Amino acid sequence: MAATNVDERWMQHALLLACRAARAGEVPVGAVVVQNDRVIGEGWNRPISTNDPSAHAEILALRDAGRASQTYRLTGSTLYVTLEPCAMCAGAMIHARIERLVYGAADPKSGACGTVLDVTGCEALNHRIEVDGGVLADITGRVLKEFFASRRG
């Protein structure tokens, strides 16, 4: 399925969450879980502030959605995230039975949804996720580049 205006709207929401992470000194990644056109979970990167290597935006959004839905099976949901998920996050999405993933910028170093690995499309696993990448990639990529440039400068 091709990205839509709805996808861009929810990616804008994820971008707001990414900016929240940046203000806290975290890598600016934001994620939102949407079901029936409403937010059921959201998160932003917090591994530094929580001393938790698993506190990626996607994991926190999935946890939030699970609490809100009172189930870990998030069938029929779409996860929007500003950066292509890593293997850990892709695996968590598979366990949660996310139907669709929409991400902004590709991650050439650890992207596990088609760039470096393809965890979400692995036929050996018991669930596959429809993936649409590159939604607002120019903006999501710029936010990341500016964050890292400010850290080096």
Side-chain angles (χ1 to χ4, degrees):
M1 173 192 279
T4 65
N5 288 337
V6 171
D7 291 336
E8 291 181 3
R9 177 170 54 102
W10 290 119
M11 188 61 70
Q12 287 285 354
H13 185 101
L15 269 164
L16 292 174
L17 297 170
C19 291
R20 192 168 180 177
R23 284 192 303 274
E26 302 275 1
V27 175
V29 178
V32 60
V33 180
V34 174
Q35 191 175 65
N36 299 320
D37 204 38
R38 72 178 185 85
V39 174
I40 61 169
E42 57 184 26
W44 55 94
N45 264 7
R46 288 189 264 175
I48 297 167
S49 61
T50 62
N51 299 308
D52 179 357
S54 71
H56 289 195
E58 302 95 321
I59 299 293
L60 298 176
L62 290 169
R63 289 176 184 165
D64 193 36
R67 279 190 297 273
S69 302
Q70 296 188 344
T71 181
Y72 73 98
R73 297 285 178 125
L74 303 173
T75 56
S77 296
T78 299
L79 190 144
Y80 294 87
V81 63
T82 57
L83 179 65
E84 180 182 2
C86 69
M88 174 183 68
C89 293
M93 287 185 284
I94 288 167
H95 286 290
R97 301 300 193 268
I98 292 292
E99 182 175 316
R100 184 169 174 246
L101 164 68
V102 179
Y103 68 84
D107 186 345
K109 295 186 179 180
S110 63
C113 301
T115 300
V116 176
L117 301 170
D118 189 10
V119 174
T120 51
C122 179
E123 296 202 10
L125 300 176
N126 63 348
H127 180 73
R128 277 163 296 294
I129 298 171
E130 178 186 332
V131 176
D132 287 303
V135 175
L136 301 183
D138 53 336
I139 299 168
T140 57
R142 185 171 57 245
V143 167
L144 286 158
K145 285 177 186 162
E146 288 173 0
F147 174 81
F148 287 114
S150 74
R151 303 296 250 189
R152 287 189 298 271

